[in-house]
Each structure stands twice: as C-alpha cells, then as structure tokens.
Amino acid sequence: MIITMSNPELLVFLLLLGTACITGGIVWVLRTRQDARGATWLLYTSAALTGWLCCDAAIITVPDVPIKFAFSGAKFIFIILTPLLFFFFTLAYTGKDEQMPGWQRAAVSIIPAVSICALLTNPWTGLFYVQIADPSLWLFNGYAGPHGIWFWVNLVYSYALITGALLLLTGLLTSSPQHFRRQIYLLILSALIPFTANIITVFTIITVLGGGNVDITPLFFALSAILIFITIFWLRLFSIVPFARARIITEIHEGVIVADGNGVIIDINSAACLAAGLTEDEAISLSANELLGRVFGTSLTALREARSLTVSHTDTAKERRWSDLTVSRVEGYDTRSGGTIILIRDATARRRAEEEMKAKDLRLKIAMEGAGLATWEWREGLGYVIYENLPADRTIENVITIEALVDQMKGYLPKGHEAALDQPFAEIAAGRMNTFSLEFPIGDTEKGRWVQITGRIIERDEAGKSAWIVGITQDVSTHYAARSAVMEANTKLKLLTSITRHDILNQVMVIRMVAELTGMEPEEAMSPEVRRMVIQIDHAAAVIEDQLSFTRDYEDLGSYAPSWQNVAAVAARAEGAISQTGITVSCDTDTLEIYADPMFRKVMENLFENAHRHGEHVTAVTVRFEHRPGEGCLVVEDNGRGVPKELRERIFSQGYGQNTGFGLFLSREILTLTRIAITEEGTEGEGSRFVMHIPDGGYRGYQGE
C-alpha cells in the first residue's frame, strides 16, 4: 500500500501527530499522579483526545476507503466520550463529585452510551448519519455524510456537558485566590477554544480548495494540549488543587498557612492574615520561618519538633493574645511536591477562661475556709500529703505507701480510736472500696470535737494498689452535738413510749381477762347478742395488743447509725421466724457484708414470714448475691406460688396485706435509710423473688462469682 499526501495533507498530518504526542505525553505523566483529585479523569480525557487525533491522522494517510470509514467510526466514539470524560474531570477537580451519588453519574452517562450504540448500529438504523459522503474527500468529518437525528441529540448533550464543565470551573475561579486562578484560566481556555471551533464547524460552512467541508476542531487541540501541559508542569495543577482552599482553608475559622517543600508560603487564608497582621499579597512567597519568627516568636523548625505550641504575642492593636500553633506534613507525589500546613487557633478566650478559673478557685478556697473545710491529696509516686485550707497549708513528706498514709492519719486520733481506719483501708487495699467516710474525735474527747474525713480513690497502679487519693476534712462537732441531742431525745421518747405501751398492754390484758371470764358464764346467763359483743370486744383487744407489739418491734427504726452487717449471720438469726414451718433456708453469700440499718434483720424476717404466709406450698427459701452494672443485688427467693405481676408494686404499700399490712412497707423504709431499693421480680406460679438493689460502696467482702 502506497501512501501519498499533498502538501496541505502533510501539514495537517504533522500537526495532528504532534498534538497526539503531546496528549499522549500528558497521559504518560498522569499515570503516576492518579492519587491527585481529578488526575484520573484528565488522564482518560487526554487518552480520548489522543485517540481522536490518531484517527484523524489515519484518515488522512490511509488510502483504502473501507479503512478510512473504520477510523471514522472509531473517531466518533472518541468524540462522544471526550465531553463526558471532561465533565467528570471538572467534577472531581472542583470537589463536586462528592455531592453526586453513583446513580446520578450513571444517569449522566446514559445518552453517550446510547449514542455509541446508535453509531455502531448506524448501517441498519441510520440514526447517526444518513448517507455516506464522497470518499474522495480527505477532510476530517466529510466521511460521515448528512447527519441523522441522534447525531444532533448527542451534539446538544455534548455541548451541555462542556457548558456545565465550564460553569463549574468559572465558579471555582471566583472563589480561588489570585495565584490559583491562572491554572483555572488555562483549563477554561483549553476547553473553550476547541468548543468554539466545533460550534463554528457545525453551524457554518468552511471549505478548502478541492471542495468539502472542514472540521477545524482537531486543529485547535494542539493549542489545548499545550495549555494543559503548561498547567500541569508550570502551574503545578495537581500539586495543591484550589479546591482545597474552598473546602478546607476558606470555610474554617482557624488561620491556615500552606507552605511548599522549601518552606515558602503558597497560600494563606484571611484568619491567618489577620493573626499575622499581613495582607495575602504580603504573605505569599514569604518564608514561613520568617513569618513565625516575626509574629509569634518561634520558628518552623521548633514547631515541627513540638508539633503544637501555645505562644503569646501582641496583635496590631497592641493587645496581648495567645495562639495555638499546629503543624502537619502534606505528602505529595514526590519529595518536592509535599508541603506543610500550619493551623493557627486563637487561644485567647481559653487562656482568659483559665485565668477566670484560677480566680474561681481562689473564691472557692475562701468559701471552704469559711465553712471549715480542708482538702488533702496523696500520690504514691510523689510520696507526700498536701493539705490545703488548714490553719496553715502544709505538705507532709516521706509518705511513700498507703500504709504510711494510714499511720500519718492515725497520729491525729486519740488513743483507743486508731483502729477506726484499719477496716476501711483494708477494704481499699483489697480493691473492694473506692470511697470512704469516717467520723472520729480529735484531741480531748470530753471537749466533743469531731471531724469527718471523706476520701476517694482516683487512680490505682497496675497491681490494683491505691496510687492517688483525694479527700476533704471537715469539723463536724456542731453536727455531732446536734445528732447526739437528737439521739438523747429519741432515747427519752422511747422510754416514754415503752412505759405508755406497757400501761396500755396492762389495761388490754384486763379487758381480755374480763371478756374471757364473761364468756365462761352459762348460756342462760346472757343473751346471744351480748355474747357476740363480748367476743368482738376480745377480738378488738387482741388486735390492739398485736399492734402495740408491732410498734415495739419497729420503735428503733432510724434511731441508730447504719453499720456493716454480715448477710449470712443475719439470715441465720432471721431463720428462727420460720423454724417451726418446715421451710429450709440456704444462704451462699459467704463473707458478704452490706451497709444497712440495724433493723436489717427485721427485713429478712419479714421476707421469710411473707414466703410462709403467702407462698402456700413453699418448701425452700434461697438467699444469694449477684453483680449488676453499678450495683450489687441481694436476692431472696422461694419456690411458692409467686406474686401476680399487677401486685408487684402494691405489696409495698402501707396497709396492704392480710396481716398487719406494714411488713413489706416498713421493710422498704428500713432499706431506704441506706439508699437500698427493693423490688419483686419473680414469676407467678414459680415463686416470689425479692431483689435488694445495693449501690456501689454499700457492700463489701463478697468472694463469689
């Protein structure tokens, strides 16, 4: 096959081939930079342009007409794809692709896909072009002949895609700084020049010597390729894209400085300009090291080593301000394209808040002194105790271990009270307690001076030993005196109540005795109505006697301070209430102790008696303990008939029940004194299940799982 070309054909061929080499070179370069936003789509666009140009060059050089037609068909596939690929490039480059879900991208691609199908099936449908042109013509699109209807649909859609891409770039142009606008200008020109040429080709008639219409679009691709090449290599198109400023730099309130690999500032936002007292033009191309030294009194090297710094400086209004400086490295596609981003956050409000906090701490200290409160802190690593707000703040050294801390505290206790600290600190050492509160006399016990020490474990070491404890000490002498007065008054009231109850019971006994003697009279001695009245009097007297006995059982409610009580021991004593019923009681709480009112035994007795009275066929009662989030639960359950779901709450109401109506009600009241709640969680038909919810710190010594 001999290829012959005229001088015009040779000139056009060389122009097309040279342009294809430039676009192919762009493809080769971009293959190593596909991690940059938009680079992959520009690679695809350049590849489509390269294919378009190569097909045009082949049409000129190949004399065989069928081969010309084959290259013409392939060329139109690239013509269809190029606007779509360029549109996707602008979406990625401007950052708008994140706002377009996958189905929308697929929808945008539907018409180009249909256009390719129409082109491939054109010999049968005639949708893309109607008639084959004169094969003797060499000029570029003359081989397609008159166009079909789908050609115009595709043309309008392609123009819409290119217009949309140009609008996206124009929008980015208006929101980008001056030094980024040059690359956007060149991108717009690289698309606008061939776009304009194509419009001229389609809607005007351009002829050359020899006849035929000319498609001048590929001829202008040379200029577009050169502009894109300049944008990539001279203006560093994919080193730092302007989209980053619009999305990261401009939209945040913190100051942002972007420096290249040499430490030269290439971008700065308005917040950073305000903090530095410079304009954007003054800051661009300035050394970041120089700016940091001039404004903030530090260097880029020091900032990189520390990663973040808080510095004090004076702004343009001569007002002292504080700023947090943070630096991060931006990796590029090679060692030279990376850069540094410096974030500047105004810390003035925070520092002023810290100063205000110090003032509040001072006011709090004054208030604590007025209230007689003192704080203390011990850390194992530091080895000393710090006391604040005592008559004189002081530090006691050589307190290395928690045992030494206990010994140091015992030094304040009078003789005979040293053991008060042993039990709570033993629990703390075992890891079963994190808080403690103790009251004990100070100095001469006859003077009645009492203090309260409250502490909390803040930190334990890897072995579980206490490493950091903080607490407060308060003079509670006044409260202790008031409490002693109340206890003394309660003692006197109990004595008065006991005497009164004893006298009433004596009179009730007389009433019942008289009623009994009267009931022994012969039948004819009294009428049936009188006998019924005597029986009612005796029954009423018996009820009064029971209620008085009930008040004797509960007269100590809340009179004495709560204490630690062994659950197993209490359950063993309470079992006597049902010892004659044949019901067995099992308790697997081991060494568990709970902090409860001294009348906790009465609670257990009430629960056992409740199982006997209302469980009907109860044969066994079980007492056990289980852990739940934030609490421990003491469970008392039986194998009786259970409690109906609708009565679970009512059974704790005052007056509800078949006996006195106070048993479960007062049980709840006794438990409430130490913040223990009780609920019924059993299943009707399977047995009752009473659960006492004990808050953390209200139980200790449990060794089970």
Side-chain angles (χ1 to χ4, degrees):
M1 181 176 62
I2 300 175
I3 299 175
T4 59
M5 288 186 291
S6 62
N7 289 334
E9 290 175 331
L10 180 61
L11 178 62
V12 173
F13 172 78
L14 293 176
L15 180 61
L16 293 173
L17 190 61
T19 306
C21 290
I22 296 175
T23 55
I26 293 173
V27 172
W28 179 262
V29 171
L30 291 180
R31 69 183 178 84
T32 62
R33 304 186 184 182
Q34 295 187 53
D35 56 335
R37 295 189 65 90
T40 300
W41 288 111
L42 186 59
L43 182 150
Y44 294 154
T45 305
S46 300
L49 287 175
T50 303
W52 184 345
L53 293 165
C54 289
C55 288
D56 270 328
I59 291 172
I60 295 175
T61 58
V62 176
D64 188 69
V65 173
I67 297 178
K68 287 178 180 285
F69 285 132
F71 277 112
S72 179
K75 165 190 167 180
F76 269 98
I77 293 178
F78 292 123
I79 291 175
I80 294 170
L81 291 176
T82 299
L84 178 65
L85 296 173
F86 184 73
F87 178 74
F88 284 149
F89 158 69
T90 56
L91 281 177
Y93 179 72
T94 58
K96 302 296 184 181
D97 57 335
E98 297 178 356
Q99 304 175 15
M100 177 177 283
W103 68 268
Q104 292 184 0
R105 299 182 194 179
V108 171
S109 307
I110 290 176
I111 291 182
V114 174
S115 298
I116 293 175
C117 293
L119 179 65
L120 296 176
T121 59
N122 189 79
W124 301 278
T125 62
L127 289 174
F128 213 84
Y129 49 85
V130 178
Q131 178 183 350
I132 300 299
D134 186 352
S136 63
L137 301 176
W138 61 268
L139 296 172
F140 313 117
N141 68 341
Y143 300 104
H147 303 112
I149 185 172
W150 198 259
F151 171 86
W152 297 107
V153 172
N154 179 75
L155 181 70
V156 172
Y157 191 72
S158 298
Y159 283 0
L161 290 175
I162 296 173
T163 303
L166 292 173
L167 290 175
L168 289 174
L169 291 173
T170 303
L172 182 62
L173 178 68
T174 60
S175 61
S176 298
Q178 184 64 38
H179 51 281
F180 276 121
R181 293 181 182 178
R182 289 175 294 176
Q183 61 176 232
I184 304 175
Y185 277 133
L186 294 186
L187 286 176
I188 293 175
L189 286 175
S190 66
L192 190 60
I193 290 173
F195 182 38
T196 304
N198 187 264
I199 293 175
I200 295 173
T201 299
V202 172
F203 295 102
T204 62
I205 299 176
I206 301 176
T207 59
V208 296
L209 295 175
N213 298 334
V214 179
D215 182 0
I216 62 175
T217 306
L219 300 178
F220 286 91
F221 281 151
L223 183 57
S224 297
I226 293 172
L227 293 176
I228 293 176
F229 193 86
I230 292 173
T231 306
I232 292 175
F233 290 97
W234 184 38
L235 300 181
R236 302 174 64 190
L237 175 61
F238 295 113
S239 295
I240 302 179
V241 294
F243 135 84
R245 175 184 175 91
R247 295 289 299 277
I248 299 176
I249 299 180
T250 305
E251 295 180 4
I252 63 175
H253 299 292
E254 289 82 1
V256 179
I257 298 175
V258 182
D260 62 13
N262 298 320
V264 177
I265 297 175
I266 60 175
D267 194 13
I268 185 171
N269 70 351
S270 57
C273 289
L274 182 62
L278 299 172
T279 65
E280 184 176 339
D281 292 337
E282 292 172 341
I284 296 298
S285 299
L286 187 67
S287 169
N289 202 57
E290 179 182 350
L291 184 144
L292 291 173
R294 182 196 307 175
V295 178
F296 301 105
T298 187
S299 65
L300 184 58
T301 302
L303 183 57
R304 283 173 174 169
E305 291 177 355
R307 300 301 298 270
S308 63
L309 292 172
T310 299
V311 296
S312 173
H313 59 97
T314 304
D315 60 13
T316 55
K318 304 302 180 182
E319 182 181 355
R320 188 184 182 190
R321 305 191 69 82
W322 288 266
S323 296
D324 290 333
L325 304 181
T326 306
V327 66
S328 60
R329 176 76 178 170
V330 179
E331 300 295 338
Y333 56 85
D334 57 34
T335 56
R336 293 173 299 173
S337 63
T340 301
I341 295 180
I342 302 171
L343 297 181
I344 305 171
R345 182 178 294 107
D346 189 356
T348 305
R350 190 192 73 223
R351 290 299 296 265
R352 289 175 178 169
E354 291 173 353
E355 292 177 353
E356 177 62 24
M357 185 63 68
K358 292 180 181 179
K360 289 182 178 179
D361 288 342
L362 179 59
R363 293 194 291 269
L364 177 61
K365 184 176 182 179
I366 295 173
M368 291 179 64
E369 290 176 351
L373 288 172
T375 62
W376 57 271
E377 177 183 6
W378 171 80
R379 294 198 186 194
E380 184 177 33
L382 300 178
Y384 53 77
V385 185
I386 301 174
Y387 288 94
E388 295 181 354
N389 291 342
L390 289 172
D393 293 347
R394 57 176 172 161
T395 299
I396 301 177
E397 300 182 352
N398 299 321
V399 186
I400 306 299
T401 64
I402 190 171
E403 291 78 9
L405 174 65
V406 176
D407 292 338
Q408 187 269 327
M409 288 185 173
K410 286 182 177 180
Y412 293 98
L413 302 181
K415 291 182 178 181
H417 291 268
E418 294 87 351
L421 294 174
D422 293 336
Q423 180 63 30
F425 276 94
E427 295 293 326
I428 290 172
R432 293 189 291 267
M433 285 179 58
N434 286 320
T435 61
F436 63 91
S437 182
L438 302 170
E439 291 183 5
F440 45 79
I442 292 292
D444 188 357
T445 55
E446 294 182 359
K447 294 182 179 180
R449 186 184 176 195
W450 286 71
V451 297
Q452 181 185 61
I453 292 182
T454 303
R456 177 182 293 274
I457 310 301
I458 303 299
E459 183 179 306
R460 294 181 181 271
D461 59 18
E462 294 180 355
K465 294 183 60 179
S466 303
W468 183 12
I469 307 177
V470 297
I472 61 172
T473 302
Q474 184 178 18
D475 188 338
V476 293
S477 302
T478 303
H479 302 287
Y480 194 85
R483 186 168 60 186
S484 299
V486 171
M487 293 179 65
E488 183 178 355
N490 282 338
T491 301
K492 294 178 179 179
L493 286 173
K494 285 174 57 179
L495 178 61
L496 177 61
T497 302
S498 177
I499 295 173
T500 304
R501 182 172 55 246
H502 182 269
D503 292 342
I504 295 175
L505 284 174
N506 287 338
Q507 299 303 315
V508 169
M509 185 180 299
V510 171
I511 294 174
R512 296 200 66 186
M513 183 179 297
V514 172
E516 183 178 358
L517 292 174
T518 304
M520 296 173 62
E521 293 292 327
E523 293 290 338
E524 63 276 5
M526 68 181 70
S527 65
E529 291 80 6
V530 173
R531 188 174 295 277
R532 281 197 303 272
M533 293 175 63
V534 171
I535 294 174
Q536 289 177 354
I537 291 172
D538 182 63
H539 176 71
V543 171
I544 294 173
E545 186 177 11
D546 289 342
Q547 290 178 342
L548 287 173
S549 299
F550 181 81
T551 60
R552 179 177 60 243
D553 292 338
Y554 288 95
E555 69 179 353
D556 291 333
L557 178 60
S559 298
Y560 299 100
S563 60
W564 290 101
Q565 302 182 52
N566 183 279
V567 174
V570 172
R573 291 195 299 269
E575 185 180 357
I578 55 172
S579 59
Q580 305 300 319
T581 62
I583 298 176
T584 60
V585 177
S586 61
C587 180
D588 61 354
T589 58
D590 298 324
T591 58
L592 173 70
E593 293 182 348
I594 69 171
Y595 191 69
D597 188 86
M599 296 195 68
F600 175 64
R601 173 183 172 181
K602 198 64 182 177
V603 175
M604 300 296 286
E605 290 179 352
N606 283 337
L607 294 178
F608 292 169
E609 290 176 348
N610 185 79
H612 167 60
R613 290 195 184 102
H614 308 295
E616 293 184 352
H617 54 273
V618 174
T619 60
V621 175
T622 302
V623 181
R624 60 185 178 84
F625 183 78
E626 62 184 39
H627 286 287
R628 294 184 184 180
E631 64 181 13
C633 292
L634 183 63
V635 181
V636 178
E637 54 188 349
D638 60 52
N639 59 352
R641 66 172 183 172
V643 179
K645 187 175 182 180
E646 63 274 10
L647 298 180
R648 285 181 177 177
E649 186 61 30
R650 290 180 58 191
I651 58 177
F652 297 102
S653 302
Q654 181 177 355
Y656 183 83
Q658 300 174 1
N659 195 29
T660 63
F662 289 96
L664 291 178
F665 167 72
L666 287 176
S667 295
R668 171 176 280 187
E669 295 300 311
I670 293 171
L671 295 173
T672 302
L673 293 174
T674 51
R675 299 188 298 113
I676 300 175
I678 183 170
T679 58
E680 205 289 321
E681 300 178 2
T683 302
E684 186 177 4
E686 298 180 5
S688 61
R689 187 170 185 263
F690 290 92
V691 181
M692 287 169 268
H693 304 267
I694 310 167
D696 283 344
Y699 60 92
R700 67 185 185 186
Y702 183 62
Q703 304 296 330
E705 296 296 330

